[in-house]
Amino acid sequence: MHRRRHYIYPDTQTLVNAFVCEVNKFIRQADKPENSLHIAISGGNTPLAVFDQICRSTRKEDWSNVHLYWVDERCVPWDHDESNYGNARLRFIEPMELPADQIHPINGEAEPGKEADRYAAMLAEHIPFEKGVPVFDWIWLGLGSDGHTASIFPDQLELWGSDRSCVVTTHPETGQNRISLTGGVINAARRISFLVTGKSKAHVVNQIVMKEGNYLEYPAFYVTPQTNYLEWYLDMEATSWM
Ligand code: 6PG
């Protein structure tokens, strides 16, 4: 039985402020100041609010040993408004002036299958491996209102269990190709945090937490960290079922 910690906040901004405090504490207390911290971030809107808050902070932490990776990416050019890396670059990387050698984006314009393989190989080269998978220090996950996480969707649940670190997936509504980390890599991370806001997610959060309804169809249900510890950062709207 793994331990789950629910942090519930009255609104999104309060959640973001609290999460940024955690990020700053994590970086300050890194138990390996001389080595790198490897953090993988998801796309969507919630991380952007985190980036904005970090950039607004008057007292910024030293990010010089933090390496950023992506949990998933849409197969679009980086200047496309749906690009996870493109949005992070605009809202975080450039304002914080993070050096390019600390940033490891997925190339949304490359041939998806080849890029998934390249990214997996890059992870193998840059990130400590344990039991055959790369082990991130922290992974930030979002949750879709259909129960997806990363870019593993319910209609491609089998990809969660792939033995590859990275796979090509397809958005069920738009048909857009995505490149996504898989469950083995996600669950191996030393720390995993879900950041979930909004009423549209409440029904899925409820089903996953209470193991009710269609929870077995939701990729997010299979986030079962090897550390046996999982954090949910939720705003009140996302828990409106409670
Ligand atoms: C993506 C994501 C995806 C996202 C959820 C939640 O590229 O879309 O990584 O899994 O985290 O859809 O998105 P919001 O943060 O916008 O609710």
Side-chain angles (χ1 to χ4, degrees):
M1 173 65 186
H2 68 261
R3 289 174 299 127
R4 194 197 307 261
R5 181 73 56 85
H6 294 125
Y7 298 99
I8 300 170
Y9 299 91
D11 54 57
T12 303
Q13 190 55 50
T14 313
L15 180 159
V16 166
N17 296 347
F19 189 72
V20 167
C21 290
E22 280 302 307
V23 173
N24 291 338
K25 202 166 32 170
F26 184 80
I27 292 172
R28 264 200 312 276
Q29 293 174 347
D31 61 0
K32 37 184 185 176
E34 70 289 350
N35 297 338
S36 301
L37 280 177
H38 304 287
I39 301 176
I41 52 183
S42 285
N45 299 310
T46 312
L48 298 181
V50 172
F51 296 149
D52 292 344
Q53 184 62 23
I54 293 173
C55 293
R56 270 195 296 270
S57 308
T58 47
R59 186 178 165 281
K60 293 187 176 44
E61 297 303 324
D62 175 3
W63 284 70
S64 60
N65 71 339
V66 178
H67 284 251
L68 283 185
Y69 304 78
W70 273 261
V71 170
D72 59 343
E73 183 57 280
R74 291 87 181 276
C75 293
V76 294
W78 283 341
D79 59 1
H80 190 289
D81 61 5
E82 286 191 23
S83 168
N84 291 338
Y85 165 68
N87 285 321
R89 180 175 59 180
L90 210 59
R91 306 272 285 270
F92 184 59
I93 294 161
E94 286 176 351
M96 293 284 285
E97 296 177 342
L98 298 183
D101 63 357
Q102 290 176 224
I103 308 301
H104 309 281
I106 296 169
N107 180 355
E109 285 190 281
E111 195 284 318
K114 289 198 174 76
E115 179 61 10
D117 292 345
R118 182 199 70 81
Y119 207 69
M122 183 277 295
L123 295 180
E125 204 181 301
H126 282 79
I127 296 202
F129 255 54
E130 283 171 26
K131 299 177 195 153
V133 290
V135 179
F136 284 98
D137 292 294
W138 199 356
I139 290 185
W140 304 357
L141 292 176
L143 174 70
S145 55
D146 61 354
H148 82 259
T149 193
S151 277
I152 308 285
F153 297 97
D155 66 342
Q156 293 180 306
L157 184 57
E158 71 284 357
L159 292 177
W160 176 266
S162 168
D163 58 5
R164 310 175 77 85
S165 298
C166 268
V167 289
V168 179
T169 72
T170 310
H171 191 283
E173 284 150 27
T174 64
Q176 182 188 68
N177 274 346
R178 306 272 186 101
I179 293 169
S180 178
L181 297 184
T182 53
V185 176
I186 290 170
N187 282 330
R190 301 189 198 292
R191 184 175 181 181
I192 305 172
S193 303
F194 268 112
L195 300 172
V196 184
T197 62
K199 199 176 284 298
S200 69
K201 315 294 176 75
H203 71 293
V204 175
V205 173
N206 174 29
Q207 290 177 71
I208 290 173
V209 169
M210 307 303 279
K211 290 189 179 172
E212 288 174 356
N214 305 321
Y215 71 98
L216 290 173
E217 295 170 18
Y218 300 145
F221 172 71
Y222 299 93
V223 177
T224 49
Q226 285 174 21
T227 60
N228 283 325
Y229 177 64
L230 176 60
E231 300 174 336
W232 286 81
Y233 286 80
L234 301 150
D235 69 2
M236 283 300 271
E237 284 201 346
T239 63
S240 51
W241 51 277
M242 278 186 172

